[in-house]
Amino acid sequence: MRNITIDNITDAVIKAMSDDIPARNREIMEALIRHLHDFCKEVHLTYDEWMEAVEFLRRAGDISSDARNEFILLSDIVGMEVLVDMIDKQPTHGETVPTVLGPFYRDNPPVLPKGASIIQKDSEGQETLKVSGQIRDTDGNLVPGVMIDVWEDAPNGLYEQQDPDQPDYNLRGRFETDSDGRYEFVCIRPMPYPIPYDGAAGELLNYMGHHPWRPGHLHFLIQKDGYKTLISQIYDSETQYLDNDSVFAVKKDLIAQLKKAPEGSGTDLEMEFDFVIRSNTLLQAAE
Ligand code: BEZ
Ligand code: FE
């Protein structure tokens, strides 16, 4: 096409795609191009603003590494990771509500026996917490042999891979449910923390006039062959930022009460949380 105008450029770009591409590529790119062009027209994007945006993305790439993916943070700040999670992983049979994985998961955490502690290094002011519960399927049957990865930040608000003063894999562990589908471990009361804001994510938060803080939470990744993997987080009902999480990941069903533990029980606090996971057989039947 030799005469590209504001009115025909959207069709021109869509038509430039080959007929041979997979249908899903076409569906995604057609919609993306339409929305992107409409967005530029709606806000009357200036050339300088476009240049600012591409330079911003370059900086996001520059600060990204194997240990840090700035683009996850950017999509979190605009609510995209949570939105995609809700669209793609909608619970339909009463299973526990999922929420985002976030950028701090590490595979192969220490495999620990039921009831063990994930605290490798004590921190001043920490409150110890016993977490326990049962895992059931959507028919109410207890599920033994479920692998549960848990991880959390230290009282200084940092995950161990962000903090050279913490031991490797501190505050991480992998547990298995027993024959009654029961799990139990000891951790610390999770503290609110700011998502990393020393790079492009911080620039975007500033641009939007939003803060970087997340409410105190424990992460769970729950897996067993034959079941849909559940990724979720449990929130302390008394933590700050439940109503203004910087990444919009709080769900009311994931808020739990931390109670004072009985004298002599070994921890300061305790919390019970039961999970419901969904079998793949159910998944296939629903498709
Ligand atoms: C987290 O919960 O670890 C997290 C989630 C999204 C962005 C940053 C951190
Ligand atoms: Fe987190």
Side-chain angles (χ1 to χ4, degrees):
M1 196 181 275
R2 296 198 176 178
N3 189 24
I4 294 291
T5 65
I6 288 181
D7 294 326
N8 67 20
I9 188 161
T10 306
D11 285 344
V13 177
I14 289 170
K15 273 208 196 103
M17 289 191 286
S18 160
D19 287 341
D20 300 337
I21 59 173
R24 182 66 174 157
N25 294 20
R26 173 168 297 281
E27 186 181 8
I28 287 176
M29 287 312 296
E30 268 200 37
L32 181 65
I33 291 158
R34 264 192 288 107
H35 286 287
L36 207 55
H37 288 199
D38 284 348
F39 158 75
C40 295
K41 290 180 196 168
E42 183 182 325
V43 302
H44 193 112
L45 200 70
T46 67
Y47 202 82
D48 284 351
E49 286 166 336
W50 166 80
M51 182 57 88
E52 222 179 283
V54 292
E55 281 298 314
F56 164 79
L57 290 175
R58 188 182 54 74
R59 289 193 293 282
D62 284 348
I63 205 170
S64 294
S65 64
D66 285 348
R68 174 169 182 167
N69 187 337
E70 198 72 2
F71 294 93
I72 295 184
L73 296 178
L74 298 184
S75 62
D76 284 326
I77 291 165
V78 296
M80 188 174 172
E81 186 183 357
V82 171
L83 176 63
V84 172
D85 193 59
M86 290 189 290
I87 293 168
D88 193 40
K89 300 184 178 177
Q90 192 80 260
T92 49
H93 290 73
E95 59 274 40
T96 300
V97 184
T99 193
V100 300
L101 179 69
F104 298 120
Y105 175 67
R106 285 182 73 191
D107 199 2
N108 298 314
V111 176
L112 298 169
K114 186 171 156 241
S117 172
I118 61 172
I119 310 167
Q120 292 186 38
K121 182 184 175 188
D122 285 326
S123 309
E124 203 167 307
Q126 71 181 18
E127 286 182 280
T128 53
L129 168 68
K130 183 178 90 176
V131 181
S132 62
Q134 281 178 305
I135 300 199
R136 291 191 164 76
D137 66 17
T138 51
D139 291 325
N141 305 306
L142 296 166
V143 192
V146 179
M147 196 168 84
I148 306 176
D149 288 359
V150 296
W151 66 106
E152 67 173 339
D153 61 316
N156 64 2
L158 296 173
Y159 285 86
E160 51 84 23
Q161 72 265 58
Q162 300 175 285
D163 181 1
D165 292 335
Q166 288 183 54
D168 201 27
Y169 284 100
N170 187 37
L171 299 173
R172 294 175 189 272
R174 177 169 285 174
F175 297 87
E176 203 176 280
T177 52
D178 66 13
S179 53
D180 288 329
R182 188 161 273 287
Y183 73 91
E184 184 180 311
F185 64 91
V186 171
C187 61
I188 55 174
R189 174 173 231 159
M191 287 291 131
Y193 64 85
I195 64 167
Y197 60 92
D198 56 338
E203 287 184 53
L204 183 60
L205 284 165
N206 271 336
Y207 191 83
M208 293 171 64
H210 200 197
H211 67 79
W213 288 87
R214 295 224 59 217
H217 58 274
L218 296 172
H219 288 268
F220 288 80
L221 188 150
I222 297 178
Q223 335 177 48
K224 180 175 165 86
D225 280 350
Y227 292 81
K228 192 178 160 194
T229 296
L230 172 67
I231 296 169
S232 201
Q233 303 179 17
I234 307 303
Y235 296 89
D236 176 352
S237 63
E238 289 177 27
T239 185
Q240 250 187 300
Y241 305 110
L242 282 177
D243 293 309
N244 53 355
D245 180 8
S246 59
V247 306
F248 310 95
V250 178
K251 318 269 175 187
K252 72 171 171 29
D253 292 347
L254 300 177
I255 299 174
Q257 273 199 325
L258 277 52
K259 300 193 175 123
K260 200 173 169 358
E263 209 61 46
S265 66
T267 59
D268 302 314
L269 301 162
E270 57 185 27
M271 175 191 108
E272 285 239 8
F273 199 93
D274 294 342
F275 292 93
V276 178
I277 56 175
R278 175 173 163 177
S279 92
N280 283 337
T281 338
L282 201 61
L283 259 184
Q284 280 148 13
E287 276 161 12

